[in-house]
Amino acid sequence: MPPSRTSDDISKFMNRFTNALRAVFRITAWQPLLVLFVALAIRLVYNLCFFQHRICDIGDSSYYLTAGKALADLIRASWSETHLSDFLVRLCQPTSVIPGSFQSFSSTNLSDRLLLDGPIFPSYLAALFLLIGTQAGAAANLAINAHSQFYAIANSVVDSLSCALVCTFTSLAFGRKTGLLAGLGLALYAPAIINTQQCYGEPFAYFLLCCWATLLVSLVSLVSLSSMSAKDQSLLLLNCFLLALFSGLLMLAKPAFVFLPWLGIGVYLGVMALGRGKAAPIEDPDKESGSAKKSKLVLAFLAFVLGLFLALAPWLGFTRSVSGQAMLVVNRAPQYNLYIGNYLATDGWKTWPTQPSIPNTMEEAKAFVLAEFKSAPLALVGLFLRKIARLTVGVWNEFQYSIGLFTIVEQNIWQGLLLLLACLGLASILNKEDRKAKALALAFAAIIIFHLIYASFEPVPRYFISAMPLVMAFAAQGLLTLYVTFIQGKKLQQRAGLIRLVTVVLPGFTWLYRFASPAMVFSVFFDTLSFEQIRILVALFWCFYLVCVFVLLAQVLRFSDAHAKVSRLAIAAIVAAGALTVLCAAAFFLQDPALSESSLLLEPGGQGLTDRVRISLADLEPALPKQLPGPLPGYFRQFDSWLLIDCETNAPPPVLIVSVNGKFLPARTALMWNELHPADKDVPVIIDLQSRAMSIDKRKFRQWWAVPFSTRFLKKSIENEVILSVPAGSPPVRIFYDWVNNSKNTDVMIPSLTKFSWTKGFLTFDHRDARPYELRPSSPLTGGELKSSYFAKLRPQMRLHLAIPHSAEYSALNSAVIASANLPLKAGVKSIMAHAAEHLVSGGDPRTFTLPGLVWDNDMKHAGLCEFNFEVGKCKARQLVEVDLTLTGSKDGKAVSWRCPWQPACLEVSPEVTREVTLGSSPEAGANWQKYQYTNMLPDDFAQWQTVSCNISMSPFIADQLYLHRKEAQHAQMTMRNINVELKRSVVPTGKFEWAFY
C-alpha cells in the first residue's frame, strides 16, 4: 500500500506549488499574450453573438468614414490607373471653406475632411476600405450593412492590442501583478467592448497612447542599465526612433494631443532631475568615457529627430499645400465646441434647435466666453466644474447598452470606483522609494489631468476614454493595495479601515449615480428653511461624505505598509484629488437644476391630482379688444387647448382623464408636444436614430405630453381647477414636479418645451432627461395627496402648462373672417384600413411582411391625425419587432409619400404562453396579446393629396438583425390582428397661429 501523506508532506507540496506560481509570475511574456487572448475573445463573442445593432456610421463617425472612404478611393484610383505621381496632386486640393469653421463640418471634400479629422484615423479606415475591396452596396454608400461586423472585428483587434500594451508598460513600470490586473481590467472594461462597433477615433488614439507609453517605459529601462552591449545600444536607437515616430502620430491623432507626448516626457525628466541631487553618486568601475557618452547621445538624438520628421513632415506639407500655411494642430472646429460648451442659457449642452450666432473664428468664441464670465462669473466657474464630472465620472455608452447584468447605471458606478482606485494607486506608487516608478507615475498622471482641458469645451466621456488605459494602470495598483492591506493586515484596526471604506463607498456611490437626494429628508427635519438653504445643506452633506471617503483612502494607504510613513507626495496626491472631487460635487449640488425634481406615480383608477391655475391674457392684450373679466373671447373658445404634462410611462402613449372646472372629459390619448409643436427638423431625425440604435420606442424617452380639452371650459382672469387622473385599465403614468419656496411665487427651472439635447440625454452620466432646463412659470399643486404638515416653506409645484392657440393676425376687424376660416372639423372619422383577422408574419417569407394597401379618394380635406391601432402576439421567445405605416398618393400629378418620423422604431413583445393540452387535443395559444396605439400628425399639405394608399409593413425582427444574425431573423415569427387605421379631424387650427403658455 502506498504510504499516506503526512501534514509535513502537504505543507511541502503547498510550498512547492506556491514557489512555482511565483516563478510563473516572474515570466512577463505570457501575461500580455493572455490579456490579448482574453480581450479578443470577449470582443469577438460580443460582436458576433450578442450585438444587435449596426452603429458604425452614426454621429461623428460618419465624418471619419467619409474621409476614410474618399482616401481609399483616391488610393485605389491612383493605383489602378498607374498614376502614382498624380496622387499628391489630387490629394492636396485647396480647401473650399475656412479651415476649422462650423460650415466645414458638412464638406465632403477630402482635403477639408483631413483638415478637420486629421490624417491618423481616416488612414486606418482607408486601410479597412481597401481590405473590403470595391464591392457595391454598403462599402460604397457608407450604410455598412454587410460590413459592420468586419469593422467591429478590426476595431476589436486594435483594442485587444491596447489591452496587451497596457499590461506590458504597467508591468515594466509598476510590477507584474499590477500589469496583469490593468490589462485584464481594460479587457473587461464595458465601454471598450461596446464601442468596437463604432468608428470613432478615440479608441485608436488610446492605442497610439499605449504604444507611446510602452516605448517610453522601455526606453527608461534601457537607459537605466548599468552597462550596455552592442545589442542594447541598437535597441536604444530603435527605441528612440519609434518613440519619436509615435509621439508624432499621437500629436496628430486628436487636436489637443499636440502637447500630450511632450508633457509626459517633460514631467518624467523634470522629476528625475529633481530627485537626482538627493541620491549619492555611485562610482561605476566600468564607467564609459565622456566622448563615448556624447556620441551615444548624439546618435539617440538623431534617431529621435528622424522619427519625428517622418511623422510630422507629410502633414505639415499637406496643410501648407491645402490651406496656405503649415499647421501642426488638427483643427476640428474648437471655436464651435468652446461656444456651445460655455453657453449659460443651455447650461453648456449642445441643443437642437442649435444656438444662434455660431462663431467661425476662435477670437469670436473667446470674446463670447469672456462676456459670459463678466455677466455671471460664479455660474461659469460652476459650469466648468460640473463639466469635469460630465467628462470623467460617466462611461462612454451613448446608446446605454448593458453588458450582462451591468446596466448603464452599474457601469457608471464602476467608473466612479475606478477613478477612486486610481487615486489610491497613484498615491501608493508615490509612497514607494522607486524614483523611476514615481517619475513615470507623475508623467502618466499629468497626461490624465491634461484631459481635463476638454471641460473648457463641450465635454463627453468619449473624450476621456483615451486616458482610461492610464487610469486602469493606477486603478490596478489601487486594487492591489486594498488586497495587500486586507491580506497582510495583522491588526483588527487595519482590516476594519478597509471594511469601513467599502461600506461607505458602495452605498454612497450607488445613491450618487441614482441621483438619490436627501433634500426631502432635510425638508422634514428643517421645516423652516427655504429650498435654497436646503440645497446648501445637501451640498455640504455630499462634500462631507466625499471628504470622509478620501480620509479613509489615506488610512488604507497608511495600513498597506505598516513599517513606512505616508510620504508628503502621496498625501499631496490624495489631497489634490479629493479637493477637485469636492469642488465638482459642490458645484453640481449647488447649481444642478434638477435637484428639486421629484415624481409621483398615478395609478390607474386612483385618485387624481388637482391643480388650480389663474389664466392671464396679459401677453395677448395688445392684439385683443378690451374684455371684462369672465369667459374667454369667442375666438379662443373655438379651438382646443392643450394641457402639457412632464410625464413618462412604460407603455406609451399615456392615457389621461382631464377635468376642467368640473367638466369631466373622456379619457384622451396624449400626443408628443414635439410633434404637435413642430420642433427643429433635426430633432425627430436624431431621436429616431437614437431609438433605433437602442431598440427602444422613442415615446419612452422623457418628454412633454399634450392632452386636448375644450377651451370654452376655461374662464378668464379667475382661478381654474384642473384635475388629472389615469383611467382604469390604462398603464400608470409618472408625473414630475418640483419643490419650491412657499413664501414667494418664484419661477422654477423646468425642462425646456422647445429644445432637445442628445448630449445631455444619452452621452454623459446625467442621462435622466434629454431636455435642457430653462426658466418658465408653472402652477402650484394644491391637492392633498402631496401636501404635508411638515412643509412650512416648501410646496410641490407640478410641471403643468396650458397651451392655447391664437392667430398671429388677430384683430377686432378681421376676427370674424379668421374665425370662419379656422373652424375645426365638426365630425368625421374615416377608417382607411381594417384587418381584424390574425395575420402570421414569418421571418423566412418576405411576402408576409406587407399588408395589401387600400386605395381611396380623399374626402377628408380637414383630416389632421392618423391613428394606428393593432395587436401583436409572439409565437416564440421575447423579441423586438418592427411595424411601419406609410401613406402614398399623388399631388399635382406627382407621387408623394409620408412616413411619420415619430412612429416607433421597434416594439418589444412578450412570448405567448401555450396552455397545457390533453391527449387528443390541439395546443391553443394563450391570449397574450399586446395592444399598441400611436397617433401621428399628418403633413400640412395632406388636403391636396389624391388617391391615397395606406401600406403597413411588419417584421418579426429589427432591421439590423437581418444583417448581424440572419438565421435567427429567418426563424422569427409573430402574429398581428385587429389592425385599424383611421383619419381624424385636425386638432390644431389651420393657417398661421401662435401658442400662449400659462
Side-chain angles (χ1 to χ4, degrees), residues 602-606 649-657 667-669 725-733 871 929-933:
L602 289 183
E603 296 290 349
T649 176
N650 290 328
V655 180
L656 297 166
I657 298 177
R668 298 289 186 95
T669 300
S725 59
V726 177
S730 299
V733 178
E871 294 182 19
W929 292 86
Q930 289 184 252
K931 185 177 181 179
Y932 290 93
Q933 170 188 341

Side-chain angles (χ1 to χ4, degrees), residues 632-653:
L632 292 175
Y635 170 75
F636 289 89
R637 297 171 61 191
Q638 63 181 314
F639 299 115
D640 280 345
S641 290
W642 296 82
L643 181 65
L644 305 185
I645 311 156
D646 185 12
C647 63
E648 66 177 355
T649 176
N650 290 328

Side-chain angles (χ1 to χ4, degrees), residues 413-414 417 500-512 545:
I413 293 173
W414 179 238
L417 295 177
R500 283 197 302 269
L501 177 65
V502 174
T503 54
V504 168
V505 168
L506 291 181
F509 274 45
T510 301
W511 295 333
L512 270 174
Y545 164 78

Side-chain angles (χ1 to χ4, degrees), residues 196-386:
T196 51
Q197 274 282 350
Q198 298 206 64
C199 290
Y200 283 103
E202 280 74 15
F204 196 81
Y206 75 62
F207 165 71
L208 295 177
L209 179 60
C210 291
C211 294
W212 175 87
T214 303
L215 291 168
L216 177 64
V217 174
S218 62
L219 180 62
V220 169
S221 301
L222 284 173
V223 171
S224 61
L225 292 177
S226 58
S227 60
M228 281 192 182
S229 61
K231 182 179 179 180
D232 294 333
Q233 294 177 6
S234 301
L235 289 176
L236 178 64
L237 295 178
L238 179 61
N239 203 324
C240 290
F241 172 78
L242 292 177
L243 179 62
L245 180 66
F246 277 92
S247 296
L249 296 178
L250 192 60
M251 292 171 63
L252 303 178
K254 295 180 68 177
F257 279 18
V258 66
F259 305 107
L260 207 61
W262 314 115
L263 175 65
I265 294 174
V267 169
Y268 173 79
L269 294 177
V271 173
M272 292 297 291
L274 290 175
R276 183 171 298 146
K278 299 179 182 180
I282 301 176
E283 294 295 333
D284 187 359
D286 299 328
K287 187 176 180 180
E288 294 179 323
S289 62
S291 59
K293 273 192 172 182
K294 289 182 180 179
S295 62
K296 289 181 180 179
L297 287 175
V298 170
L299 289 176
F301 177 75
L302 292 177
F304 193 88
V305 171
L306 177 61
L308 195 61
F309 175 81
L310 291 178
L312 298 180
W315 171 252
L316 294 175
F318 168 77
T319 55
R320 182 174 180 81
S321 301
V322 169
S323 63
Q325 58 179 349
M327 296 185 298
L328 189 60
V329 179
V330 177
N331 193 2
R332 194 168 171 79
Q335 62 273 13
Y336 170 68
N337 291 319
L338 181 66
Y339 170 74
I340 63 174
N342 295 279
Y343 192 47
L344 292 177
T346 59
D347 204 27
W349 299 110
K350 181 190 297 181
T351 63
W352 283 269
T354 57
Q355 293 91 327
S357 306
I358 296 175
N360 272 329
T361 63
M362 181 58 75
E363 288 72 20
E364 296 176 359
K366 290 179 180 178
F368 170 79
V369 175
L370 183 60
E372 292 282 82
F373 180 76
K374 290 180 179 179
S375 63
L378 291 179
L380 193 63
V381 172
L383 176 59
F384 175 79
L385 293 172
R386 286 184 288 131

Side-chain angles (χ1 to χ4, degrees), residues 609-918:
L609 295 176
T610 302
D611 191 37
R612 302 183 190 276
V613 60
R614 183 176 296 275
I615 302 297
S616 172
L617 300 181
D619 296 337
L620 304 181
E621 290 297 336
L624 289 174
K626 294 183 179 180
Q627 298 284 340
L628 296 175
L632 292 175
Y635 170 75
F636 289 89
R637 297 171 61 191
Q638 63 181 314
F639 299 115
D640 280 345
S641 290
W642 296 82
L643 181 65
L644 305 185
I645 311 156
D646 185 12
C647 63
E648 66 177 355
T649 176
N650 290 328
V655 180
L656 297 166
I657 298 177
V658 178
S659 172
V660 181
N661 292 326
K663 304 289 186 179
F664 279 89
L665 304 175
R668 298 289 186 95
T669 300
L671 291 177
M672 290 182 291
W673 177 246
N674 275 328
E675 181 183 6
L676 187 65
H677 179 264
D680 186 79
K681 62 180 181 179
D682 292 334
V683 173
V685 175
I686 294 170
I687 294 181
D688 187 66
L689 287 174
Q690 186 74 24
S691 63
R692 288 183 178 276
M694 295 175 66
S695 293
I696 291 180
D697 187 346
K698 62 177 67 67
R699 300 174 300 170
K700 289 185 178 182
F701 297 152
R702 281 273 305 273
Q703 57 188 296
W704 290 97
W705 290 88
V707 180
F709 65 93
S710 180
T711 311
R712 67 177 180 270
F713 297 154
L714 293 173
K715 297 179 181 180
K716 176 188 175 184
S717 299
I718 63 175
E719 199 171 63
N720 292 263
E721 183 183 69
V722 179
I723 300 177
L724 196 66
S725 59
V726 177
S730 299
V733 178
R734 181 166 296 279
I735 306 292
F736 292 89
Y737 61 90
D738 293 283
W739 292 100
V740 297
N741 292 335
N742 197 22
S743 58
K744 54 183 179 179
N745 294 324
T746 57
D747 296 336
V748 294
M749 298 291 290
I750 63 169
S752 174
L753 293 168
T754 57
K755 291 183 179 296
F756 163 82
S757 177
W758 177 61
T759 308
K760 180 179 184 293
F762 306 104
L763 266 66
T764 68
F765 77 101
D766 191 4
H767 52 76
R768 293 167 287 178
D769 195 353
R771 300 161 296 177
Y773 278 70
E774 61 187 10
L775 194 64
R776 288 265 183 168
S778 123
S779 55
L781 178 73
T782 58
E785 185 170 350
L786 288 178
K787 193 173 182 180
S788 173
S789 59
Y790 289 113
F791 300 101
K793 282 196 173 184
L794 296 182
R795 64 182 178 187
Q797 191 165 354
M798 298 303 298
R799 291 175 177 174
L800 301 179
H801 288 269
L802 292 178
I804 305 176
H806 70 96
S807 173
E809 302 172 355
Y810 181 84
S811 66
L813 298 177
N814 61 3
S815 59
V817 177
I818 295 176
S820 62
N822 290 275
L823 284 175
L825 193 65
K826 297 298 183 183
V829 175
K830 185 177 182 64
S831 177
I832 62 174
M833 176 173 285
H835 192 89
E838 293 186 16
H839 185 81
L840 178 65
V841 182
S842 173
D845 187 357
R847 294 172 297 178
T848 63
F849 283 9
T850 305
L851 284 178
L854 177 65
V855 179
W856 53 282
D857 292 327
N858 187 1
D859 58 355
M860 293 187 66
K861 300 297 183 181
H862 297 284
L865 286 179
C866 177
E867 188 171 282
F868 185 21
N869 297 275
F870 55 92
E871 294 182 19
V872 183
K874 286 290 297 178
C875 297
K876 294 193 176 182
R878 179 183 297 271
Q879 194 170 336
L880 299 171
V881 303
E882 287 188 1
V883 180
D884 184 86
L885 181 145
T886 305
L887 297 180
T888 59
S890 61
K891 176 186 175 183
D892 299 330
K894 297 181 180 179
V896 291
S897 64
W898 171 82
R899 178 193 176 277
C900 180
W902 296 104
Q903 63 182 338
C906 66
L907 302 171
E908 185 177 1
V909 186
S910 301
E912 282 189 341
V913 180
T914 303
R915 297 193 183 100
E916 294 183 2
V917 296
T918 58

